[in-house]
Structure formats: C-alpha cells, structure tokens
Amino acid sequence: DRRITDRLYSGDRRHRIEQELVLGVGGARALAALGISPRVFHLNEGHAGFLILELLDRRIADGESLDEAVRQVRSQLVFTTHTPVPAGIDRFPLEIASEHLQPWADAWRVPIAEVFELGRDPSEEPPEFNMAVFCLRTSAHANGVSKLHGRVSRELFAHVPGGDAISSVTNGVHARTWTAPPLQDLLDRTCGPSWADGDVDAWRRVSDLDDGAVRDVRRTGGSLLAAMVRERTGTTFDPDALTIGFARRFATYKRATLLLRHRDRLVKLLADDARPVQFVFAGKAHPNDEPGKALLADVVAFAASADALQRFVFVPDYDIEVARAMYAGCDVWLNNPVRPHEASGTSGEKSALNGGLNCSISDGWWDEMADGRNGWTIPASASVEPAVRDRAESTAALDLLSREIVPTYYRDGDPWSTEWLGRVRHCWTDLGPRVTAARMVSDYWEQLYRPTIEASTEP
C-alpha cells in the first residue's frame, strides 16, 4: 500500500492507475466511513475518476443495470478538465486497464468490454482507457478553467458525448494566503475585511489610497523580496528597482528561456544604471521532464554568468515562502506560455492581488481579464513554426519591457511613477474581486453545483 502512495509522479502506468484507484475508490469509501453523503461529487481532472466505479457499484448492488446506474450516477457528478492538450490526459493501455477493471465487471456480471467502453475515446487507436472521456461520459456538467480553455476543451472533446457542452469557471486564488501581510493590513483598514471575499464594493475603496500609501506598501514588498533573495542566493537586490518575476513549473510550453533568445537585448536592459531592471526566476522541473530540466539549467547558467550583472537571479529550492516573497515584491509578473497551452494559470492572479502588473501572452485567465491598463499583453505571433513564433514573441516581450514598461515605471524620474501607481490601483479595483477563490467558488455554486443538485434524482 505504501508503495502506491509514496510518491506523486513515477511515469509508470501501472503505478498511476493504482494511485487513481486509491484516490477515487478509496476517497469515496473514506467519505462513506465518515458518514458524509455528498449531493455532488466534483472531479478535478481524471485523477479521482475511479470514484465513479464505487458509485456505480453501490447502484448495481441495489439491483440496477449498468446503464441505469450510469444514468443515476451522472446526476451527481461535475467534472473539471485542466489540460488544453491531449498529452496531459491520463490514459491506460487496454491490458493494464482491463486487469484493474475486470474485478468490477465480474462483480457486475457484465463483459469487461462494456466497462472499458465507458472510457474509450473513439478517435484513439489502439484503444486506451481515457480518464477524461470516462469522466465526461458520466458527468452531468463539465467545465474548463478559463473562458479560452472552455472553448479549447469543446474543440478537443467535440467527438465525445458531452464534449460540446463544456462550460468554464475561471480559476481564482485564496486571497489571504497569497497577499502579503503588510498589504492585508492596509486593505483591511481601507476596504474592510470583505476584500478577501471578492467584494466588488470593498475593492473600489482602493481608490481612497493616495500615492504615498501605495508606494510605501510596494516598497515594503520589495524589501521582503530583497531579503529573501539575499538569504537564498547571496545577491543584493535593490528594493526600489523595477523587479520582474517568473516562478512556475519549468514545463517546455511555459518557455522560461524566451527572453534569452535575444540575449544581447536582455543584457542591455540589465546594464541600464539610470533605470535599473532586475529579474528573479524560480521554479522546478518534473523529475522525468528532461527538456524542462534543460530549460532550468539554461536559466541557472545565465544567472551565474557575468552578463547577468547580479540583476538576474535564480532562486533555488522553490517553495511557498519563496513564492510569497516574489508576489509581495515583484512589480511585473512575466508569463509567456505557448498559447493556448496555459489552461488558466494562477501565479499572475497572486501577483495582481499584491499590486503586481502582468506582462503576459493572451492565454488562460489573462485572455479574458486584460484590459490594457491592468498590465500588458505580449502580442502573439501568427506563425505555426515554433522557432519563428518564439523568436517573434521574445522580440515582442522585450519591446514591451524596454519601450513601455520601464519608461512607465520611471516616468517621473524615480521608481513607482504616478502613472504606475494609478495602474496598480486600477489593477486592484478591476482584478481584485475577479481573481479570488471566493469568486470562483461562487461561480461553481451558481453555474454547476446548484443546477446539479436541483436536477438530481437523489433525495
């Protein structure tokens, strides 16, 4: 048992299906043992999808057929897909899936083919048990995690029953977990405590903050970040300099090295003593992701080079404390994935809560929330050739930084210009209520949970 749950990722399909059986079936049984009888089961991705087997088993044990059990169970299920690409979906080969599904087929007195069919993608050859297809076929409602991702998912699953009805609920983040304590205190005093619950009226009160108050809390955040950077890397950061952050998983589609494609331009940006710019990068690659680890190594190598001028640092051992310091102190949050591979993304939302302005490809949550003043959108290339696209978007990102973002930050000759601080206030009033987990949960209740409960056949 411990070998099933002793690590998160192994790359072994048998290990993975055993993990998902423990999570899904074991999770349903744990709830039952605790006397909890949910009206709605919400499946996030297919990881707990085998919970469906347990729910079906209870119905069939009461004398229902498999078809009738599926119909009844469907009325209790909501499924959220989190990946915009087929490669991100868990699939199990026929041999492994059949081995683990056979006991259920035997108990239900049905051919294994009928159970396997619930998760078979008709477009895939050879046939595999597809967890997203399994969840879609047996759920009353399904959603993506941003409006753009909803559209992408409807195209991705158009051939699967229910795929064309996938809706969307954009991800949000827990405000008090990710907002720096000094800023929380300021918002509590100015807006009242309901800002953390996504209260639109509370966030509007941010307009009462004068430039001095906003500048002071941003400088405090910069000092927190500088202290963390010094402790973790030995590098001295200027808390007043324009600070650009990038922290996330080093997956290839997130393109951590995009700016390095024009190294000469990046070095010129770092060498400007009159308008200093500094970058802080952090993150980890999946242990089995060799291309991702290569990207991380390239970033680490540049940070250690003379060209970095100690204004481009990589912080090792990425964890929550590193993340919190970066959200508190980064003035700009850089996000440059390959569109539309970022289903939602939440790091930019955490930065926005702290008064950071996003500089992002129009992907995930940013695609629907950017308004031209709460941050900057990196123009996307029309090329389908990866090398051409990446070079063009690297150029576009550096153009934004050098021609718009840096001049705006230093518009008055000193850090945090009046125009910049106005953008920060606008960012808070516009994005504050929209990026919170409180808004997200409310959306799930109104759009998915309540309709599922009202239509449920359960008492």
Side-chain angles (χ1 to χ4, degrees):
D1 293 345
R2 289 181 179 179
R3 283 196 295 271
I4 294 172
T5 57
D6 64 353
R7 60 197 184 282
L8 185 56
Y9 301 114
S10 69
D12 179 84
R13 292 291 82 195
R14 185 179 301 277
H15 183 234
R16 186 65 171 171
I17 198 171
E18 289 174 351
Q19 288 185 317
E20 296 191 352
L21 280 160
V22 168
L23 179 61
V25 177
R29 291 179 182 176
L31 289 173
L34 291 167
I36 298 171
S37 300
R39 297 287 299 278
V40 177
F41 291 90
H42 183 180
L43 302 172
N44 270 287
E45 205 49 87
H47 308 319
F50 287 126
L51 167 141
I52 297 164
L53 296 178
E54 176 68 11
L55 299 185
L56 291 173
D57 190 63
R58 296 173 189 176
R59 296 281 185 176
I60 294 171
D62 289 338
E64 294 179 6
S65 68
L66 178 57
D67 287 345
E68 178 61 19
V70 169
R71 190 182 72 81
Q72 295 289 345
V73 165
R74 182 180 288 116
S75 69
Q76 294 179 263
L77 292 173
V78 168
F79 170 57
T80 297
T81 175
H82 286 267
T83 179
V85 292
I89 298 168
D90 273 332
R91 299 173 178 82
F92 299 106
L94 177 60
E95 180 184 359
I96 292 177
S98 296
E99 175 188 339
H100 291 82
L101 296 175
Q102 188 67 56
W104 302 87
D106 293 344
W108 301 342
R109 301 179 186 276
V110 299
I112 183 65
E114 288 190 27
V115 182
F116 187 84
E117 186 65 23
L118 292 173
R120 187 178 73 85
D121 186 330
S123 69
E124 292 180 348
E125 288 294 340
E128 294 186 304
F129 195 85
N130 183 309
M131 294 302 292
V133 170
F134 181 42
C135 295
L136 268 175
R137 277 207 175 111
T138 52
S139 296
H141 299 283
N143 69 285
V145 290
S146 69
K147 290 180 180 178
L148 175 60
H149 181 231
R151 296 198 298 272
V152 170
S153 298
R154 288 191 290 275
E155 296 174 5
L156 182 62
F157 295 109
H159 59 289
V160 178
D164 60 352
I166 295 173
S167 62
S168 65
V169 173
T170 303
N171 281 346
V173 297
H174 187 254
R176 289 199 182 272
T177 295
W178 295 109
T179 305
L183 178 56
Q184 286 193 50
D185 293 341
L186 178 64
L187 293 175
D188 284 341
R189 294 194 305 271
T190 306
C191 306
S194 62
W195 65 268
D197 299 322
D199 185 332
V200 174
D201 290 333
W203 279 102
R204 287 192 184 120
R205 297 186 198 114
V206 166
S207 60
D208 294 338
L209 292 171
D210 61 26
D211 283 1
V214 179
R215 185 180 290 108
D216 286 347
V217 78
R218 292 299 304 149
R219 179 175 282 116
T220 299
S223 297
L224 291 171
L225 174 60
M228 184 275 290
V229 168
R230 184 170 57 253
E231 177 184 348
R232 299 256 183 162
T233 72
T235 302
T236 299
F237 252 27
D238 179 355
D240 291 345
L242 175 63
T243 304
I244 299 164
F246 181 103
R248 50 185 51 83
R249 183 166 53 92
F250 274 65
T252 52
Y253 79 87
K254 294 177 183 286
R255 299 189 298 184
T257 59
L258 189 69
L259 297 186
L260 297 181
R261 287 182 172 270
H262 292 88
R263 184 168 174 142
D264 55 336
R265 290 192 63 187
L266 178 59
V267 171
K268 183 179 179 181
L269 196 65
L270 294 170
D272 187 346
D273 291 330
R275 299 184 303 182
V277 179
Q278 54 200 15
F279 290 80
V280 54
F281 275 55
K284 294 179 178 179
H286 187 290
N288 295 330
D289 183 0
E290 296 303 325
K293 288 193 282 189
L295 292 179
L296 192 153
D298 288 344
V299 169
V300 171
F302 179 76
S305 72
D307 284 346
L309 300 171
Q310 295 196 1
R311 286 179 175 167
F312 186 111
V313 302
F314 177 82
V315 180
D317 300 323
Y318 182 55
D319 58 18
I320 288 177
E321 293 310 310
V322 170
R324 284 178 172 149
M326 289 182 65
Y327 296 134
C330 287
D331 301 295
V332 174
W333 198 256
L334 182 63
N335 185 44
N336 42 239
V338 176
R339 188 179 193 269
H341 288 188
E342 190 75 88
S344 177
T346 55
S347 63
E349 294 181 328
K350 296 166 189 172
S351 180
L353 282 175
N354 284 278
L357 301 179
N358 277 263
C359 177
S360 177
I361 291 287
S362 187
D363 201 7
W365 74 278
W366 187 245
D367 182 73
E368 68 197 69
M369 295 193 193
D371 70 356
R373 195 175 173 217
N374 53 19
W376 292 267
T377 298
I378 301 169
S381 167
S383 177
V384 295
E385 173 59 41
V388 175
R389 176 203 63 210
D390 290 355
R391 190 161 185 84
E393 292 179 1
S394 174
T395 297
L398 286 161
D399 285 347
L400 267 180
L401 288 169
S402 60
R403 299 174 186 175
E404 293 191 38
I405 296 175
V406 173
T408 301
Y409 185 77
Y410 291 106
R411 182 82 70 203
D412 304 330
D414 293 317
W416 298 294
S417 70
T418 298
E419 180 181 348
W420 189 276
L421 296 174
R423 280 179 173 266
V424 171
R425 273 191 295 267
H426 174 73
C427 172
W428 277 331
T429 56
D430 178 54
L431 295 179
R434 302 163 69 191
V435 301
T436 63
R439 186 275 309 155
M440 176 185 69
V441 172
S442 177
D443 287 350
Y444 271 108
W445 169 249
E446 293 295 338
Q447 298 175 34
L448 297 169
Y449 299 160
R450 185 160 69 180
T452 303
I453 290 171
E454 290 174 349
S456 175
T457 58
E458 292 296 299

